[in-house]
Amino acid sequence: MLKRTRTATTAAALVGGALLLAGCGGPAASNAAVGQEGMGSDLAPSAGQEGMGSDLAPTDDHASGTHDDISASNCSADDFTFTMQAQPSDAGSTKMFLLQMENTSDKSCELGGWADVTPTNMAGEKIEAPSENVNEPGPDQNLTLEPGKSAFSGVKIVSAEKSDPDAQVASGFTAEPTDMQGEANVDVKDLNGESGTLEMAVKSMQIGTLQSSPQGVVAF
């Protein structure tokens, strides 16, 4: 069975109370600050994401860093196409990809915080790789994605030599939107935007939150 570690580094506390004593009373509430330390790299996002416009509207301000369960949505993974575009990097074993999630249906779709990305082998079977959902470039939020529009996130992969016993060679990836049924294959493209044969020994992964724009999503 596939074992994956999913961690969202969001903490929130909400304390409310009412004092029914004469002369004093009133609610009090506080939200803990959201923080996430990135893994760090010299990766730089690719310049210009023309043609990748989107039309997403937040449906919740998510001050607490949580999102509603939208698993009953009329949309599923089959309503989207997923692309992972390689980004320029001089960080050695750390590879960065821009994940684009395009709504190819004829209806508006609600999205959760992430699109979970899972490596697969040549047989299309999921392989084990430690994976972490991170609040980069910001906290998760529910979004509404209109037909023909896209959402974006960063995918950071620490690769290894194929002989490394702690890594397994991936020949593809699947994506599964948070709180939505189904999964879909991901089209992986190189720096020139061309699809090709993929062979990458994956040691670990980090996946950023879905955003309405590609700006800054791979800068972690």
Side-chain angles (χ1 to χ4, degrees):
M1 177 181 293
L2 179 68
K3 297 180 179 179
R4 295 164 62 82
T5 301
R6 294 290 184 194
T7 303
T9 58
T10 303
L14 179 63
V15 178
L19 299 177
L20 301 180
L21 298 177
C24 64
S30 64
N31 288 331
V34 176
Q36 169 63 36
E37 295 184 359
M39 295 175 65
S41 72
D42 295 328
L43 294 168
S46 60
Q49 298 293 343
E50 297 181 1
M52 299 176 110
S54 60
D55 187 12
L56 295 101
T59 58
D60 193 326
D61 61 6
H62 290 79
S64 66
T66 62
H67 55 78
D68 299 329
D69 181 1
I70 57 172
S71 58
S73 171
N74 61 337
C75 295
S76 68
D78 292 336
D79 292 313
F80 305 90
T81 58
F82 297 86
T83 303
M84 275 173 54
Q85 171 77 52
Q87 302 295 291
S89 170
D90 57 2
S93 62
T94 301
K95 312 297 181 184
M96 201 74 193
F97 293 85
L98 174 68
L99 178 70
Q100 179 179 0
M101 179 179 177
E102 181 182 358
N103 182 358
T104 55
S105 73
D106 59 358
K107 54 185 177 288
S108 299
C109 296
E110 292 182 350
L111 304 182
W114 293 268
D116 295 339
V117 177
T118 304
T120 58
N121 59 23
M122 293 184 64
E125 302 167 332
K126 294 180 180 180
I127 61 178
E128 294 185 3
S131 184
E132 180 184 24
N133 286 346
V134 296
N135 288 329
E136 295 287 352
D140 67 309
Q141 56 183 320
N142 285 350
L143 302 170
T144 298
L145 186 63
E146 302 297 333
K149 302 302 181 179
S150 296
F152 307 88
S153 68
V155 178
K156 178 182 285 187
I157 299 176
V158 177
S159 62
E161 297 294 331
K162 295 180 181 179
S163 58
D164 190 331
D166 296 326
Q168 296 194 56
V169 177
S171 59
F173 293 88
T174 62
E176 182 179 359
T178 303
D179 295 335
M180 190 177 294
Q181 294 183 353
E183 61 185 15
N185 290 327
V186 178
D187 182 15
V188 182
K189 297 181 180 295
D190 60 21
L191 292 172
N192 297 319
E194 298 179 355
S195 302
T197 302
L198 171 71
E199 280 195 1
M200 179 189 301
V202 178
K203 196 166 187 178
S204 64
M205 300 176 60
Q206 281 191 323
I207 303 165
T209 51
L210 289 168
Q211 302 292 321
S212 60
S213 167
Q215 184 68 34
V217 298
V218 296
F220 69 92

Coordinates of all heavy atoms in Angstrom, one line a residue, residues 115-170:
A115 N -3.4 20.1 -5.5 CA -3.6 19.0 -6.4 C -2.5 18.0 -6.1 O -1.3 18.3 -6.3 CB -3.5 19.4 -7.9
D116 N -2.8 16.9 -5.4 CA -1.8 16.0 -4.9 C -1.2 15.3 -6.2 O -1.9 14.7 -7.0 CB -2.4 14.9 -4.0 CG -2.9 15.5 -2.7 OD1 -2.5 16.6 -2.4 OD2 -3.8 14.9 -2.1
V117 N 0.1 15.3 -6.2 CA 0.9 14.7 -7.3 C 1.6 13.5 -6.9 O 2.3 13.5 -5.9 CB 1.9 15.8 -7.9 CG1 2.7 15.1 -9.1 CG2 1.1 17.0 -8.5
T118 N 1.4 12.4 -7.6 CA 2.0 11.1 -7.2 C 2.8 10.5 -8.3 O 2.3 10.4 -9.5 CB 0.9 10.1 -6.8 OG1 0.1 10.7 -5.8 CG2 1.5 8.8 -6.3
P119 N 4.1 10.1 -8.1 CA 4.9 9.5 -9.2 C 4.4 8.1 -9.4 O 3.9 7.4 -8.5 CB 6.3 9.5 -8.6 CG 6.1 9.5 -7.1 CD 4.8 10.3 -6.9
T120 N 4.5 7.6 -10.7 CA 4.2 6.3 -11.1 C 5.3 5.6 -11.8 O 6.2 6.3 -12.4 CB 2.9 6.2 -12.0 OG1 3.2 7.1 -13.1 CG2 1.7 6.8 -11.2
N121 N 5.3 4.3 -11.8 CA 6.4 3.6 -12.6 C 6.0 3.3 -14.0 O 4.9 3.7 -14.5 CB 6.8 2.3 -11.8 CG 5.6 1.3 -11.7 OD1 4.6 1.4 -12.4 ND2 5.7 0.4 -10.7
M122 N 6.7 2.5 -14.7 CA 6.4 2.2 -16.1 C 5.1 1.5 -16.3 O 4.5 1.5 -17.4 CB 7.6 1.4 -16.8 CG 8.9 2.2 -16.9 SD 10.2 1.3 -17.8 CE 9.5 1.2 -19.4
A123 N 4.7 0.7 -15.3 CA 3.5 0.0 -15.4 C 2.3 0.8 -15.0 O 1.2 0.3 -14.9 CB 3.6 -1.3 -14.5
G124 N 2.5 2.1 -14.7 CA 1.4 3.0 -14.2 C 1.1 2.8 -12.8 O 0.0 3.4 -12.3
E125 N 1.9 2.1 -12.0 CA 1.6 1.9 -10.6 C 2.2 3.0 -9.8 O 3.3 3.5 -10.0 CB 2.2 0.5 -10.2 CG 1.6 -0.6 -10.9 CD 2.4 -1.9 -10.7 OE1 3.6 -1.8 -10.4 OE2 1.9 -3.0 -10.8
K126 N 1.5 3.4 -8.7 CA 2.0 4.4 -7.8 C 3.2 3.9 -7.1 O 3.3 2.8 -6.7 CB 1.0 4.9 -6.8 CG -0.2 5.6 -7.5 CD -1.3 6.0 -6.5 CE -2.4 6.7 -7.1 NZ -3.5 7.1 -6.1
I127 N 4.2 4.8 -6.9 CA 5.4 4.4 -6.2 C 5.6 5.2 -4.9 O 5.0 6.3 -4.8 CB 6.7 4.5 -7.0 CG1 6.9 6.0 -7.5 CG2 6.6 3.6 -8.2 CD1 8.2 6.2 -8.3
E128 N 6.2 4.7 -3.9 CA 6.4 5.4 -2.7 C 7.4 6.5 -2.8 O 8.5 6.3 -3.2 CB 6.8 4.4 -1.6 CG 5.8 3.4 -1.2 CD 6.2 2.5 0.0 OE1 7.2 2.7 0.5 OE2 5.4 1.6 0.3
A129 N 7.0 7.7 -2.3 CA 8.0 8.8 -2.2 C 7.4 9.8 -1.2 O 6.3 10.2 -1.3 CB 8.1 9.5 -3.6
P130 N 8.2 10.1 -0.2 CA 7.7 11.1 0.8 C 7.3 12.4 0.1 O 8.0 13.0 -0.6 CB 9.0 11.3 1.7 CG 9.8 10.1 1.5 CD 9.6 9.7 0.1
S131 N 6.0 12.8 0.4 CA 5.5 14.0 -0.2 C 4.8 14.8 0.8 O 4.1 14.4 1.7 CB 4.5 13.5 -1.3 OG 4.0 14.6 -2.0
E132 N 5.0 16.1 0.7 CA 4.5 17.1 1.7 C 3.7 18.2 1.0 O 4.2 18.9 0.0 CB 5.6 17.7 2.5 CG 5.2 18.7 3.5 CD 6.5 19.3 4.2 OE1 7.6 19.2 3.7 OE2 6.3 19.7 5.4
N133 N 2.5 18.5 1.4 CA 1.8 19.7 0.9 C 2.2 20.9 1.8 O 2.1 20.8 3.0 CB 0.3 19.5 1.1 CG -0.3 18.5 0.0 OD1 0.4 18.2 -1.0 ND2 -1.5 18.0 0.2
V134 N 2.6 21.9 1.1 CA 3.1 23.1 1.9 C 2.3 24.3 1.5 O 1.7 24.4 0.4 CB 4.6 23.3 1.6 CG1 5.5 22.2 2.1 CG2 4.9 23.6 0.1
N135 N 2.3 25.3 2.4 CA 1.6 26.6 2.2 C 2.5 27.6 1.4 O 2.9 28.6 1.9 CB 1.2 27.2 3.5 CG 0.1 26.4 4.1 OD1 -0.8 25.8 3.5 ND2 0.0 26.4 5.5
E136 N 2.8 27.2 0.2 CA 3.6 28.1 -0.7 C 2.9 28.3 -2.0 O 2.4 27.3 -2.6 CB 5.0 27.4 -1.0 CG 5.9 27.3 0.2 CD 6.5 28.6 0.7 OE1 6.3 29.6 0.0 OE2 7.1 28.6 1.7
P137 N 2.7 29.5 -2.5 CA 3.2 30.7 -1.9 C 2.4 31.4 -0.8 O 2.6 32.5 -0.4 CB 3.3 31.7 -3.1 CG 2.2 31.2 -3.9 CD 2.1 29.7 -3.8
G138 N 1.3 30.7 -0.4 CA 0.4 31.2 0.6 C -0.5 30.1 1.2 O -0.4 28.9 0.7
P139 N -1.3 30.4 2.1 CA -2.2 29.4 2.7 C -3.2 28.8 1.7 O -3.5 29.5 0.7 CB -3.0 30.2 3.8 CG -2.1 31.4 4.1 CD -1.5 31.7 2.8
D140 N -3.7 27.6 2.0 CA -4.7 27.0 1.1 C -6.0 27.8 1.1 O -6.3 28.4 2.1 CB -4.9 25.6 1.4 CG -5.6 25.4 2.7 OD1 -5.1 25.9 3.7 OD2 -6.6 24.6 2.8
Q141 N -6.8 27.7 0.1 CA -8.1 28.4 0.0 C -8.9 27.7 -1.0 O -8.5 27.1 -1.9 CB -7.9 29.9 -0.3 CG -7.2 30.1 -1.7 CD -7.0 31.6 -2.0 OE1 -7.8 32.4 -1.7 NE2 -5.8 31.9 -2.5
N142 N -10.2 27.8 -0.8 CA -11.2 27.3 -1.8 C -11.3 28.3 -3.0 O -11.4 29.5 -2.7 CB -12.6 27.0 -1.2 CG -12.6 25.8 -0.3 OD1 -11.6 25.0 -0.3 ND2 -13.6 25.6 0.4
L143 N -11.2 27.8 -4.2 CA -11.3 28.6 -5.4 C -12.4 28.1 -6.3 O -12.8 26.9 -6.2 CB -10.0 28.6 -6.1 CG -8.7 29.1 -5.4 CD1 -7.5 28.8 -6.2 CD2 -8.8 30.6 -5.0
T144 N -13.0 29.0 -7.1 CA -13.9 28.6 -8.1 C -13.2 28.8 -9.5 O -12.8 29.9 -9.8 CB -15.2 29.4 -8.1 OG1 -15.8 29.2 -6.8 CG2 -16.2 29.0 -9.1
L145 N -13.1 27.7 -10.2 CA -12.4 27.7 -11.5 C -13.4 27.7 -12.7 O -14.2 26.7 -12.8 CB -11.4 26.6 -11.6 CG -10.5 26.5 -12.8 CD1 -9.6 27.7 -12.8 CD2 -9.7 25.2 -12.8
E146 N -13.5 28.7 -13.5 CA -14.4 28.8 -14.6 C -14.0 27.9 -15.7 O -12.8 27.6 -15.9 CB -14.6 30.2 -15.1 CG -15.1 31.2 -14.0 CD -16.4 30.8 -13.5 OE1 -17.2 30.2 -14.2 OE2 -16.7 31.2 -12.3
P147 N -14.9 27.5 -16.6 CA -14.5 26.6 -17.8 C -13.4 27.3 -18.6 O -13.5 28.5 -18.9 CB -15.8 26.5 -18.6 CG -16.9 26.7 -17.5 CD -16.3 27.7 -16.6
G148 N -12.4 26.6 -19.1 CA -11.4 27.1 -19.9 C -10.3 27.8 -19.2 O -9.3 28.2 -19.8
K149 N -10.4 28.0 -17.8 CA -9.4 28.7 -17.0 C -8.5 27.7 -16.3 O -8.8 26.5 -16.2 CB -10.1 29.7 -16.1 CG -11.0 30.7 -16.8 CD -10.2 31.5 -17.8 CE -11.0 32.5 -18.5 NZ -10.2 33.4 -19.5
S150 N -7.4 28.2 -15.7 CA -6.4 27.3 -15.1 C -6.1 27.8 -13.7 O -6.2 29.0 -13.4 CB -5.2 27.2 -15.9 OG -5.4 26.7 -17.2
A151 N -5.7 26.9 -12.9 CA -5.0 27.1 -11.6 C -3.6 26.6 -11.6 O -3.3 25.7 -12.4 CB -5.8 26.5 -10.4
F152 N -2.8 27.1 -10.7 CA -1.3 26.8 -10.8 C -0.8 26.5 -9.4 O -1.2 27.0 -8.4 CB -0.6 28.0 -11.4 CG -1.1 28.4 -12.7 CD1 -2.1 29.4 -12.8 CD2 -0.6 27.9 -13.9 CE1 -2.6 29.8 -14.0 CE2 -1.2 28.3 -15.1 CZ -2.2 29.3 -15.2
S153 N 0.3 25.6 -9.4 CA 1.0 25.4 -8.2 C 2.4 24.9 -8.5 O 2.7 24.6 -9.7 CB 0.3 24.3 -7.3 OG 0.4 23.1 -7.9
G154 N 3.3 25.0 -7.5 CA 4.7 24.6 -7.7 C 4.8 23.1 -7.2 O 4.2 22.8 -6.2
V155 N 5.7 22.4 -7.9 CA 6.0 21.0 -7.5 C 7.5 20.9 -7.4 O 8.2 21.1 -8.4 CB 5.4 20.0 -8.4 CG1 5.9 18.5 -8.0 CG2 3.9 20.1 -8.5
K156 N 8.0 20.7 -6.2 CA 9.5 20.6 -6.0 C 9.8 19.1 -5.8 O 9.3 18.5 -4.9 CB 9.9 21.4 -4.8 CG 11.4 21.3 -4.5 CD 11.8 22.1 -3.3 CE 11.8 23.6 -3.6 NZ 12.4 24.4 -2.4
I157 N 10.8 18.6 -6.6 CA 11.2 17.2 -6.5 C 12.7 17.2 -6.2 O 13.5 17.8 -6.9 CB 10.9 16.5 -7.8 CG1 9.4 16.5 -8.1 CG2 11.4 15.1 -7.8 CD1 9.0 15.9 -9.4
V158 N 13.0 16.4 -5.2 CA 14.4 16.1 -4.9 C 14.7 14.8 -5.6 O 14.1 13.8 -5.2 CB 14.7 16.0 -3.4 CG1 16.2 15.6 -3.2 CG2 14.4 17.4 -2.7
S159 N 15.6 14.8 -6.6 CA 15.9 13.6 -7.3 C 17.2 12.9 -6.8 O 17.8 13.5 -5.9 CB 16.1 13.9 -8.8 OG 17.2 14.8 -9.0
A160 N 17.4 11.8 -7.3 CA 18.6 11.0 -6.8 C 19.1 10.2 -8.0 O 18.5 10.1 -9.1 CB 18.2 10.1 -5.7
E161 N 20.3 9.5 -7.8 CA 20.8 8.6 -8.8 C 19.9 7.4 -8.8 O 19.2 7.0 -7.8 CB 22.2 8.1 -8.4 CG 23.2 9.3 -8.4 CD 23.5 9.8 -9.7 OE1 23.3 9.1 -10.7 OE2 23.8 11.0 -9.8
K162 N 19.7 6.8 -10.0 CA 18.8 5.7 -10.1 C 19.3 4.5 -9.3 O 18.4 3.6 -8.9 CB 18.8 5.2 -11.6 CG 18.1 6.3 -12.5 CD 18.1 5.9 -13.9 CE 17.5 7.0 -14.8 NZ 17.4 6.6 -16.2
S163 N 20.5 4.5 -8.9 CA 21.0 3.4 -8.0 C 20.8 3.6 -6.6 O 21.0 2.7 -5.7 CB 22.5 3.2 -8.2 OG 23.2 4.4 -7.9
D164 N 20.2 4.8 -6.2 CA 20.0 5.1 -4.8 C 18.8 4.2 -4.3 O 17.7 4.2 -4.8 CB 19.5 6.6 -4.7 CG 19.5 7.1 -3.3 OD1 19.2 6.2 -2.4 OD2 19.6 8.3 -3.1
P165 N 19.1 3.4 -3.2 CA 18.1 2.5 -2.7 C 16.9 3.2 -2.0 O 15.9 2.7 -1.8 CB 18.9 1.7 -1.6 CG 20.0 2.6 -1.2 CD 20.4 3.3 -2.4
D166 N 17.1 4.5 -1.7 CA 16.0 5.3 -1.1 C 15.1 6.0 -2.1 O 14.3 6.8 -1.7 CB 16.6 6.3 -0.1 CG 17.4 5.7 1.1 OD1 16.9 4.6 1.5 OD2 18.4 6.2 1.5
A167 N 15.4 5.8 -3.3 CA 14.6 6.4 -4.4 C 14.1 5.4 -5.4 O 14.7 4.4 -5.6 CB 15.4 7.5 -5.1
Q168 N 12.9 5.7 -6.0 CA 12.3 4.9 -7.0 C 12.2 5.7 -8.3 O 11.9 6.9 -8.3 CB 11.0 4.3 -6.6 CG 11.1 3.4 -5.4 CD 9.8 2.6 -5.2 OE1 9.3 1.9 -6.1 NE2 9.2 2.7 -4.0
V169 N 12.4 5.0 -9.4 CA 12.4 5.7 -10.7 C 10.9 5.9 -11.2 O 10.2 4.9 -11.3 CB 13.2 4.9 -11.8 CG1 13.1 5.6 -13.1 CG2 14.6 4.8 -11.3
A170 N 10.6 7.2 -11.4 CA 9.3 7.5 -11.9 C 9.3 7.7 -13.4 O 10.3 8.3 -14.0 CB 8.8 8.8 -11.3

